[in-house]
């Protein structure tokens, strides 16, 4: 089938207004468009960055300029990003909010649009929500603070806790890791800094709430989480974005550190509007007998490139990536996982589920590396793809490098299709075509979603319903 | 208002080939009718055309549910109007449990915001499952996924019991069933018989009709009903085979 006929599929329409949120903007601080040393100076001044951060940013800018786009292996669509057209810093100019009453109404409305129940909103007491570059709402639940947990924005983190912050900042993901990690390092603002002291098990998940709300505005959160020996933490990040006609760039860097015996779970459910480039670098460093788990759900965006990884540095460390990607018409989800085994008896598990609708394209890219000198390492990789229409596309690029003896890897992949017979069967029971597709897709991801915290699985189901409603004519 | 499922001069084709050549049949509410016919006579086509399968094109005639035509309606609308089809080959829906599927189907029949009460729903579901001698663990299994032939058919009848249609078409529900499963499934269907429902049983073999005793038997040959009669007609068919009615068709 030729490209032209693939794109002309009249019975598949997306309601472009569905799930989009937009609110009036009032920005006290605006760095203007384009990216130069002056932009960096502006950001540093507004944020009152210490000198070492200014130097860090400027070095990163040089690296960003030198590095080519990874179009030799990734999508040529990256060439459509015009870096000079973006604003690299915007701030509400307001101090982080402390109570629910002080949260802006438009943020509350977004919660409402997503259908988060009243009770859950109250439960979001441990929430750190971001309005554009700065935290609009930041409230550490008392109990958490009493346990000695630090949960602040990245800016506060680097200023008030430099002894922990500087030790790990940029160490898991070096500035020069890739062009977009360099970009983030140059202009980062917002994001969270969390430190969980030794032996502290944080009961409730901490939650961050991000969204973008300015045209031509790239958002560059920087999150650093350190969970000390024997401590445990679950962190949840949710994203919704308003719709704009021109391209929006999102490029976050998230670094996780799990010390000996620690457990760290990082959960993302994102629903970007279809014009967003979402190019994110996420990696964790797992010390001896620790466990790092990424749960990553990608819905929406024009192009998402994201491969959460774990460096299994200590003996018996364990890494896991569970991911779901949904690529609707015109969207490309290029996602996957990286597992770098660097110690004996380390184990990793990757389960990836992707759904392609209409002309949507889902790509799985995996990297599992087990060097020759290691013993007793294990990896399990499963990637399943579901195609909703015959012209949908899915590709799998698993790269598994295992050397040495006594290491084991397993790889399973499947591609399935929602058949016309299946839809007819469900329709015969009274479900509309959209409801039938929604149910099929939810069924496909069900087993994986069951491992998510309750509120996230409910939200994910709603997002899938919303996507599927819009995808049938 | 009429209380019948009425098929009038129905003609239908797939890929340009006509399969049904003007079929007439009326099933009044409260009765059980059986259609017997050889493979390829168009029995399953009739079932699918009534339910609105997109592969088939209706080229003539009408299908009326309580006097109103259902042709041109989407399959889900026909279902919500009260037409149920027990499939010969039910589809698998991986990851979707029977309990969730049935609940979604029931909610689709209700106005938004008036979803079925969970407690009532499970009471009802368990009651119907007991009737069909289905184990409780069944509800948490994915719809038809890895089911045996017998389990699939029991699941079809369970859905019929839960959805309480005005008219039910059972397409070769006996195929793939051993005698024990056949008895259970038949018992389930018989318990649903009553003045509120019209049932059309489609079968190749007379055996099913020993257990689900029809009020009227129709014989289908080459896309038409060629002979109708009381339940004894089924026995006659069994004895004489289809050859003697085929002669009727060509007359």
């Amino acid at each position: 089938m030729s490209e032209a006929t693939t794109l002309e599929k009249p019975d598949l329409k997306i309601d472009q207004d569905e799930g989009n949120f937009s609110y009036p903007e009032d920005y006290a601080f605006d760095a203007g468009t384009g990216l130069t040393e002056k932009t960096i100076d502006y950001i540093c001044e507004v944020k009152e960055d210490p000198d070492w951060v200014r130097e860090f940013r400027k070095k990163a800018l040089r690296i960003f300029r030198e590095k080519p786009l990874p179009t030799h292996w990734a999508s040529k669509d990256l060439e459509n990003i015009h870096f000079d057209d973006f604003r690299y810093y915007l701030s509400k100019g307001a101090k982080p909010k402390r109570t629910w009453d002080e949260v802006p109404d438009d943020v509350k409305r977004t919660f409402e649009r997503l259908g988060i129940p009243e009770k859950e909103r109250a439960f979001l007491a441990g929430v750190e929500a971001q309005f554009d570059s700065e935290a609009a709402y930041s409230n550490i639940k008392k109990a958490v603070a009493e346990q000695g947990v630090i949960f602040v924005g990245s800016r506060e983190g680097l200023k008030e806790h430099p002894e922990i912050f500087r030790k790990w900042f940029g160490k898991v993901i070096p500035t020069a890791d890739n062009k977009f990690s360099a970009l983030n390092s140059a202009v980062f603002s917002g994001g969270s800094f969390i430190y969980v002291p030794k032996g502290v098990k944080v009961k409730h998940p901490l939650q961050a709430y991000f969204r973008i709300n300015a045209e031509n505005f790239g958002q560059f959160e920087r999150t650093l989480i350190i969970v000390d020996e024997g401590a445990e933490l679950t962190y949840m990040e949710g994203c919704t974005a308003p719709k704009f006609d021109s391209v929006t760039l999102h490029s976050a860097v998230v670094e996780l550190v799990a010390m000996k015996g620690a457990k760290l779970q990082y959960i993302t459910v994102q629903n970007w509007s279809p014009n967003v480039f979402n190019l994110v670098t996420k990696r964790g460093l797992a010390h001896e007998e620790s466990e790092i788990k990424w749960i990553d759900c990608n819905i929406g965006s024009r192009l998402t490139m994201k491969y959460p990884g774990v460096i299994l540095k200590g003996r018996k460390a364990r890494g896991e990536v569970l991911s779901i990607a949904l690529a609707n018409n015109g969207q490309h989800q290029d996602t996957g996982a990286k597992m770098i085994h660097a110690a004996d008896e380390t184990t990793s598990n990757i389960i990836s589920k992707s759904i392609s609708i209409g002309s949507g394209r889902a790509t799985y890219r995996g990297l599992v590396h087990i060097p020759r000198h290691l013993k007793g390492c294990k990896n399990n990789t499963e990637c399943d793809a579901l195609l909703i229409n015959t012209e949908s596309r899915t590709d799998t690029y698993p790269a598994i490098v295992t050397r040495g003896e006594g290491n084991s890897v397993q790889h399973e992949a499947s591609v399935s299709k929602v058949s016309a017979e299946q839809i007819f069967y469900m329709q015969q029971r009274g479900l509309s075509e959209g409801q039938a597709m929604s149910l099929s897709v939810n069924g496909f991801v069900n087993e994986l979603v069951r491992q998510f915290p309750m509120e996230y699985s409910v939200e994910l189901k709603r997002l899938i319903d919303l996507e599927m409603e819009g995808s049938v004519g | 208002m009429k209380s019948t499922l009425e098929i009038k001069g129905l003609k239908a084709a797939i890929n340009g080939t006509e399969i049904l050549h003007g079929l007439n049949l009326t099933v009044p509410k409260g009765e059980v009718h059986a259609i017997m016919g050889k493979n390829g006579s168009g029995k399953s086509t009739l079932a699918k055309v009534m339910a609105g399968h997109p592969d088939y094109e209706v080229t003539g005639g009408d299908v009326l549910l309580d006097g109103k035509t259902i042709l041109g309606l989407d399959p889900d609308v026909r279902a919500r109007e009260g037409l149920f089809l027990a499939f010969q080959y039910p589809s698998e829906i991986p990851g979707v449990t029977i309990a969730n599927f049935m609940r979604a189907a029931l909610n689709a029949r209700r106005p938004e915001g008036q979803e079925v009460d969970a407690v009532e729903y499970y009471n009802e579901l368990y009651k119907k499952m007991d009737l069909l001698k289905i184990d409780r663990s069944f509800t948490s299994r994915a719809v038809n996924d890895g089911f045996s032939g017998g389990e699939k058919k029991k699941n079809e009848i369970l859905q019929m019991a839960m959805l309480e249609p005005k008219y039910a078409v059972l397409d070769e529900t006996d195929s793939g069933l051993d005698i024990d499963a056949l008895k259970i499934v038949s018992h389930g269907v018989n318990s649903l018989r009553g003045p509120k429902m019209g049932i059309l049983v489609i079968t190749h073999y007379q055996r099913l009709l020993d257990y689900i005793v029809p009020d009227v038997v129709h014989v289908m040959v080459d896309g038409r009903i060629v002979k109708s009669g009381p339940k004894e007609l089924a026995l006659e068919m069994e004895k004489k085979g289809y050859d003697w009615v085929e002669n009727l068709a060509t007359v």
Side-chain angles (χ1 to χ4, degrees):
Chain A
M1 192 178 275
S2 77
E3 196 72 12
T5 50
T6 306
L7 293 172
E8 285 169 29
K9 182 70 185 174
D11 62 339
L12 267 165
K13 282 179 295 202
I14 305 180
D15 181 353
Q16 297 289 354
D17 295 326
E18 198 81 59
N20 290 318
F21 318 108
S22 182
Y23 305 102
E25 295 136 31
D26 172 25
Y27 299 111
F29 299 95
D30 179 350
T33 56
L35 182 54
T36 64
E37 291 238 338
K38 274 187 186 164
T39 324
I40 304 282
D41 284 329
Y42 179 88
I43 294 172
C44 290
E45 269 147 46
V46 173
K47 294 175 73 71
E48 297 163 359
D49 279 340
D51 287 345
W52 72 269
V53 175
R54 190 187 295 253
E55 275 163 41
F56 179 90
R57 290 182 187 278
K58 288 195 173 171
K59 188 182 159 209
L61 178 64
R62 287 193 294 277
I63 293 169
F64 167 69
R65 285 183 174 150
E66 284 160 17
K67 277 213 175 257
L69 284 166
T71 47
H72 60 289
W73 61 268
S75 170
K76 292 266 184 272
D77 197 19
L78 289 171
E79 286 166 4
N80 295 315
I81 302 173
H82 300 290
F83 291 100
D84 288 341
D85 294 345
F86 290 105
R87 284 181 164 80
Y88 288 87
Y89 184 72
L90 269 173
S91 168
K92 188 80 173 164
K95 284 186 177 175
K97 297 287 188 291
R98 286 291 167 196
T99 67
W100 178 252
D101 285 347
E102 287 174 85
V103 175
D105 286 346
D106 53 356
V107 174
K108 287 180 183 168
R109 274 205 300 276
T110 306
F111 275 112
E112 232 160 85
R113 184 67 181 82
L114 268 180
I116 297 168
E118 208 73 46
K119 275 184 190 167
E120 263 176 55
R121 284 179 227 178
F123 180 74
L124 296 176
V127 161
E128 159 100 338
Q130 174 162 322
F131 180 81
D132 294 337
S133 315
E134 292 300 331
Y137 182 75
S138 164
N139 184 7
I140 306 162
K141 205 170 183 178
K142 240 185 177 179
V144 180
E146 277 168 10
Q147 287 179 301
V149 175
I150 300 166
F151 179 27
V152 293
S154 62
R155 176 188 189 179
E156 209 178 326
L158 70 88
K159 275 189 191 149
E160 289 172 22
H161 308 280
E163 71 290 350
I164 318 170
F165 193 93
R166 282 190 79 167
K167 188 176 174 190
W168 296 107
F169 179 71
K171 300 297 194 301
V172 184
I173 301 170
T175 299
D177 189 80
N178 63 76
K179 190 173 180 75
F180 298 100
S181 63
L183 176 62
N184 176 281
S185 299
V187 296
F188 73 91
S189 66
S192 300
F193 171 68
I194 300 174
Y195 171 76
V196 184
K198 280 182 192 173
V200 172
K201 294 181 169 128
V202 182
K203 270 188 210 154
H204 297 289
L206 295 182
Q207 193 162 10
Y209 193 80
F210 299 106
R211 63 190 192 86
I212 301 178
N213 194 12
E215 194 166 2
N216 277 346
F217 173 54
Q219 189 150 359
F220 307 95
E221 304 99 2
R222 183 85 189 201
T223 290
L224 173 60
I225 301 175
I226 298 129
V227 181
D228 216 329
E229 289 181 17
E232 290 179 16
L233 173 74
T234 295
Y235 183 78
M236 315 210 287
E237 168 199 40
C239 307
T240 57
K243 183 204 165 219
F244 294 106
D245 292 323
S246 58
V247 162
T248 300
L249 176 63
H250 178 260
S251 186
V253 166
V254 178
E255 296 176 288
L256 307 182
V257 180
M259 303 306 288
K260 185 178 177 185
K263 280 188 181 170
L264 173 50
Q265 185 167 218
Y266 190 104
I267 304 166
T268 306
V269 175
Q270 62 167 33
N271 175 29
W272 298 110
S273 54
N275 58 338
V276 169
F277 281 97
N278 182 40
L279 311 162
V280 175
T281 312
K282 287 181 164 173
R283 198 170 301 153
L285 183 62
H287 291 88
E288 196 175 337
E289 290 175 357
S290 72
E291 189 180 307
I292 290 180
K293 186 187 217 176
W294 296 98
I295 293 179
D296 207 58
C297 305
N298 303 293
I299 296 174
S301 83
R302 168 173 171 170
L303 171 67
T304 288
M305 288 171 65
K306 195 203 291 180
Y307 322 96
V310 182
I311 300 164
L312 301 149
K313 192 176 179 237
R315 200 179 64 90
K316 288 193 171 172
R318 192 179 139 71
E320 193 163 15
V321 174
L322 309 178
S323 71
I324 293 171
L326 194 151
N328 218 322
N329 270 334
Q331 302 174 353
H332 185 183
Q333 299 281 1
D334 196 316
T335 59
K338 290 180 183 177
M339 290 294 174
I340 312 297
H341 291 253
D344 289 342
E345 297 174 70
T346 48
T347 54
S348 59
N349 184 35
I350 300 168
I351 302 176
S352 156
K353 299 229 175 207
S354 72
I355 302 121
S356 312
I357 305 162
S359 64
R361 177 180 172 191
T363 304
Y364 170 80
R365 235 178 263 282
L367 174 68
V368 176
H369 185 80
I370 304 176
R372 189 188 301 275
H373 65 277
L374 297 183
K375 290 181 191 74
C377 298
K378 280 184 198 149
N379 164 263
N380 175 56
T381 301
E382 291 168 37
C383 20
D384 300 320
L386 183 71
L387 304 175
I388 303 290
N389 303 84
T390 43
E391 67 267 38
S392 309
R393 177 171 172 187
T394 182
D395 339 57
T396 303
Y397 305 99
I400 300 179
V401 180
T402 324
R403 296 199 173 86
E405 284 164 35
N407 297 318
S408 82
V409 288
Q410 261 189 78
H411 180 249
E412 281 174 41
S414 79
V415 179
S416 49
K417 236 177 81 178
V418 174
S419 69
E421 287 304 318
Q422 200 179 334
I423 295 298
F424 176 65
Y425 181 74
M426 288 191 264
Q427 279 190 282
Q428 212 299 306
R429 298 304 182 246
L431 300 172
S432 70
E433 193 182 354
Q435 287 170 330
M437 284 207 187
S438 219
L439 207 56
S440 291
V441 170
N442 274 304
F444 172 71
V445 298
N446 194 20
E447 207 180 311
L448 198 52
V449 172
R450 247 183 264 164
Q451 301 185 41
F452 298 4
M454 187 63 166
E455 57 266 50
Y456 262 52
S457 55
V458 170
E459 190 177 320
L460 184 67
K461 191 185 171 301
R462 277 194 201 106
L463 289 174
I464 288 174
D465 288 347
L466 211 62
E467 285 293 309
M468 300 315 295
E469 270 170 32
S471 70
V472 290
Chain B
M1 195 183 77
K2 280 188 181 177
S3 285
T4 54
L5 175 64
E6 194 179 1
I7 303 161
K8 288 204 309 207
L10 187 64
K11 291 183 181 179
I14 186 166
N15 297 328
T17 307
E18 194 175 272
I19 310 283
L20 302 179
H21 308 292
L23 187 140
N24 293 296
L25 182 70
T26 300
V27 182
K29 228 176 243 176
E31 291 187 11
V32 175
H33 287 216
I35 292 183
M36 297 185 72
K38 285 210 299 194
N39 286 336
S41 59
K43 303 191 298 292
S44 287
T45 296
L46 174 64
K48 285 181 184 171
V49 168
M50 281 195 280
H53 195 288
D55 286 354
Y56 296 87
E57 188 195 351
V58 175
T59 51
D62 208 347
V63 178
L64 303 140
L65 198 148
D66 290 341
K68 280 196 301 188
T69 183
I70 55 169
L71 295 183
L73 300 177
D74 283 341
D76 52 308
V77 180
R78 299 183 196 202
R80 294 196 296 269
E81 289 288 322
L83 182 70
F84 181 88
L85 171 61
F87 284 65
Q88 184 179 4
Y89 304 109
S91 288
E92 297 178 0
I93 315 171
V96 179
T97 63
I98 289 177
N100 282 343
F101 183 55
M102 271 297 88
R103 187 142 68 157
L106 286 168
N107 283 334
R109 287 162 169 76
R110 290 161 154 255
E112 207 167 322
Q114 294 183 33
E115 281 75 22
V116 288
D117 176 79
V119 176
E120 278 174 36
Y121 166 68
Y122 276 100
N123 282 341
E124 195 62 24
L125 185 62
Y126 290 152
K127 211 167 78 186
K128 303 280 163 72
M129 286 168 70
D130 290 345
L131 181 76
L132 287 160
K133 298 189 170 66
I134 294 172
D135 190 83
R136 294 280 159 92
S137 65
F138 203 70
T139 53
S140 55
R141 290 175 66 187
V143 180
N144 297 320
D145 194 6
F147 282 22
S148 69
E151 285 173 329
K152 281 184 182 175
K153 297 301 167 74
K154 277 189 202 175
N155 186 24
E156 292 296 286
I157 303 307
L158 174 64
Q159 295 181 48
M160 175 176 157
M162 287 301 288
L163 298 175
E164 297 175 337
K166 292 177 189 157
Y167 299 97
V169 179
L170 277 52
D171 188 10
E172 308 241 4
T173 297
D174 52 332
S175 68
L177 293 188
D178 60 33
I179 191 72
D180 292 330
L182 181 67
K183 280 180 183 169
I184 292 167
V185 164
S186 304
H187 172 67
V189 174
N190 287 331
S191 66
L192 296 170
R193 288 176 84 152
K196 287 182 184 169
M197 200 186 294
I199 300 175
L200 181 61
V201 180
I202 293 173
T203 183
H204 187 119
Y205 299 105
Q206 188 271 335
R207 185 181 70 156
L208 175 68
L209 305 181
D210 287 342
Y211 298 95
I212 304 172
V213 180
D215 298 301
V216 182
V217 175
H218 307 274
V219 180
M220 187 164 173
V221 175
D222 193 23
R224 287 187 195 88
I225 300 296
V226 295
K227 195 170 173 60
S228 300
K231 61 178 189 247
E232 289 75 18
L233 178 59
L235 293 167
E236 203 177 344
M237 292 298 304
E238 185 76 358
K239 261 187 242 150
K240 296 186 181 170
Y242 282 100
D243 290 347
W244 70 280
V245 283
E246 272 172 19
N247 297 332
L248 294 175
T250 50
V251 172

